[in-house]
Amino acid sequence: MKFSVNQTAFINQINNVLRAISSKTTIPILTGIKIVVAKDGITLTGSNADITIQSTMTTAESSNELVVEEPGAIVLPARFFSEIIKKLPEKTVTVAVHEGFQTKITSGSAEFIINGQDAIHYPHLPEIESDVTIKMDADLLRDVIDQTRIAVSKQESRPILTGIHILLANGELTAIATDSHRLAQRKVKVDTGDASYDVVIPGDSMTELARLISDEKDPVDLQIAENQVRFKFGNTLFYSRLLEGNYPETSRLIPDTADTTIEVEASKFLSTIDRASLLSHQGHNNVVKLTIDPDQGVAKISGDSAEVGNVEENVMADSVKGAELEISFNPDYMSDALKSFGQSTILISFTSALRPFTLVPTENKEDFIQLITPVRTF
Amino acid sequence: MKFSVNQTAFINQINNVLRAISSKTTIPILTGIKIVVAKDGITLTGSNADITIQSTMTTAESSNELVVEEPGAIVLPARFFSEIIKKLPEKTVTVAVHEGFQTKITSGSAEFIINGQDAIHYPHLPEIESDVTIKMDADLLRDVIDQTRIAVSKQESRPILTGIHILLANGELTAIATDSHRLAQRKVKVDTGDASYDVVIPGDSMTELARLISDEKDPVDLQIAENQVRFKFGNTLFYSRLLEGNYPETSRLIPDTADTTIEVEASKFLSTIDRASLLSHQGHNNVVKLTIDPDQGVAKISGDSAEVGNVEENVMADSVKGAELEISFNPDYMSDALKSFGQSTILISFTSALRPFTLVPTENKEDFIQLITPVRTF
C-alpha cells in the first residue's frame, strides 16, 4: 500500500472521520482510522460502533493531488496519525506500508514510522438494503436536528428518549424529542414518495451529523434499513444505528387551548432569561418566575435566592393577553427553546400554572413547537 | 454608596482585578471584589493574598461616564457580580448599596439585588515604603517575563525555585529562572539610579503581570519594599508578595566553552522538535535524540518508542561545527526555549552528551540565554 496526497485535502477528510472515533471505545481497533487504497481513490473509515463515517478521496478530484502507487489497506492509530499529518512540513504527504503493518509517513525531510494493524480485523460496515432514497436540503436537515436535539433526554433510564423520533410519510418529515420535562417537534416537507418510516435515531448521532453537514451545499441522501440509517453527502457516508423500542405517543401532550398568551421577540426574551438565570444558577433550585398581568399589559421575570439576592425585569413583550398568571420554570429549558427560534417573534401559550406551555413562531404556528413543563413552587 | 458608570469601561476594569481573584481562596472575603467610591472616582480591588490588583476609574475620564451620587464601600461576590454587569441590557449601569449590605444593580428594566459584605472586613493593601521608582518599558518587561517564566519550577519542594530571581543594579535588570533541569536568563538595560535590589518574585505573579501589561503602551513603574513589589501602569496597581529565602547561585551552571555548535532558525527547529515530540509524547519517556555530524554538515533529530514507532528528520541548520555528538533531551524543554526566541537565528552550544547545553540569539549572545540539561539514555 502506497499513496501520496495533498496535506490539506487529506486533513479535511481525516477530520471528518475523526468525529466518529472515540478514545474511550471498548473495541481497541476502533481507536484507529481504516485506510483502504484502491487504484482510483482512498477511503477513510472511523467508527464508534454507534456511528460510522466513511470519506472517499478520488484521484479524479485534482485538488486531492492523489497518486496511488500500490493498493492495500491498513488501520492506523487515529489521533496520533492525524496529529502527525497536521504537523508535517511539506504540502505533499506520502503514506506507505513499510514492513508488516509498520507504516512510513514522509513529507520533506521528516519521516515517521508508526505501528499499524491489519485492516482485516476492522469491523465491517453495516449493510443498508433499501431501494428508497429520500433527498433533503442540508440546511433544512440541520435546522430540524438543531431545533429538536435540545429536548433529547440525557438519562439512560429510558433509552428510547435519548433519540430523536423521525416519522416520514405523505411528503412530510416529523422530528420529535422529549426528555419528559420538555418537548420539541418540527415538521418539514420532503419528497417521501410512497415510503413511510417510523424510526428513532440516537440524539448524539444526529448532533454529529448536524456538525458534519454545516457547510454542505448539496442535498443529503437518506436511506433507512432495519436497524441502521445512512446519510450520504459529498464524498461522505454517515451511518448511525437506530434505537430499538417504541417511542411514546407525544401528540396528546400538546395543549390545544390557551388562557394566557404573550407575543415576544425570541432573542429579546432570551436576554432577559439569561440575566435571570445568572441568579437562579447560584441558588439551590434553578427556577425563575413569570408574572403576567394582561390588564397592565405587563409580563415580569423574577427570581430570588436567600443566599445571593434577587432579580426582576419586565419582558419587552409585543402583546400580553388573557388571564392573569404566575408560573415558574427552569430558565435553562426556556433558554434552549428560545435559541431554537433565532430572531423570530414567538407566541407563548399558557393554560395554567401547572400545565405545560408552548412556544411557536407567530409566522408558522403548525410546523414548529417547543413545549416546557412548569415547576411547582408552592 | 451609589454611582452610575459606562458598562464597557466598567467591565474592562472589573476584568483587570478579576485576574487576582480565585474561587479557591481559603479567605472567603477574597472571593469578593472590593468597590470603594469616592467623590472623584471608584477603586476596584481584587486579591488572592499573593497578588493584589487595584484599578481606579475617575470621574475626570469622560469615557467612564462615571457619576458618583454617594461615596461608600462594599464587597460583592466577584464572579457573580461581573457576570451580571456583562449581561446587563443598557450601556449605563447603576450600583447602589440598598439596605444593609444589599446592593442594587440597575440597567434599563433589569434590576438585581445581591448580598454584599462590609468592606471593613476586606484585608488591607500591603504598604510599600520606598522612595525609589524604576521605570521600565512595558513591552520589554513583558519580554523579560515571557522569556524566563518557562523555566520556573512548578514543584513546591523547593519553593524559592517557583519564583523569578530579579537583580537590579548598575543600570541593568537580570532575570533568572531555573527548575534545576533548565535555566533561562535575560539581562536588559534599565535606569536603576543608585538603587540595588536582589529579590525573588513568584512566577505566577509575573505571568499574571505579563498578561495584564500586554496592551500597555506607557512605561511601568516598579517599587520594591521588604516583602512586596508593586507595579504601576495606567490606572492599575499590581502588588505581589516576594518569596523569602536565598536564590541559588546560578552563574556557575552556564558553561563557557563549546565543543560542538549549531546555528539554526529558532522557528524552523521548533517545527522539527514539535513533530518529533508527537512520538515522544506517546512513549513512556519523553526524550528525543539529536545526532550531530559536522563532517557531513548534518544534524538529525530522532525518536523511537517500541509501542508506537519512530521518527527521524534532518534539522535545517545554517551551520554545524565542532566534534561529533549524540545527545538526548526532553523535547518540551527545547520547544519552550525555542519559542522564547521568536523568529531569531540562534546558536546552540554543546560540550558533551551529559553536560548542559545553551541556546543564545546569534545577534546578542550575552544578554539572553536558555540552558537545558540533557537526559542520560545509556
Side-chain angles (χ1 to χ4, degrees), chain B residues 63-81:
Chain B
S63 62
N64 289 335
E65 296 173 10
L66 177 64
V67 178
V68 172
E69 287 192 39
E70 198 188 330
I74 192 78
V75 176
L76 297 173
R79 303 281 154 197
F80 184 40
F81 177 68

Side-chain angles (χ1 to χ4, degrees), chain A residues 80 83-84 87 89 109-115 274-275 278 282 306-314 316, chain B residues 80 83-84 87 89 109-115 274-275 278 282 306-314:
Chain A
F80 184 39
E83 282 174 7
I84 290 172
K87 290 232 176 184
S109 72
E111 180 183 300
F112 283 85
I113 295 175
I114 67 175
N115 300 331
D274 280 353
R275 276 188 286 277
L278 287 178
Q282 302 282 324
E307 312 97 80
V308 286
N310 58 66
V311 60
E312 202 173 289
E313 181 172 342
N314 283 344
M316 299 289 162
Chain B
F80 184 40
E83 282 174 6
I84 291 172
K87 290 234 177 181
S109 72
E111 180 182 300
F112 284 85
I113 295 175
I114 67 175
N115 300 332
D274 281 353
R275 276 188 285 276
L278 287 178
Q282 302 281 327
E307 311 98 81
V308 287
N310 59 64
V311 59
E312 202 173 286
E313 181 171 341
N314 282 344

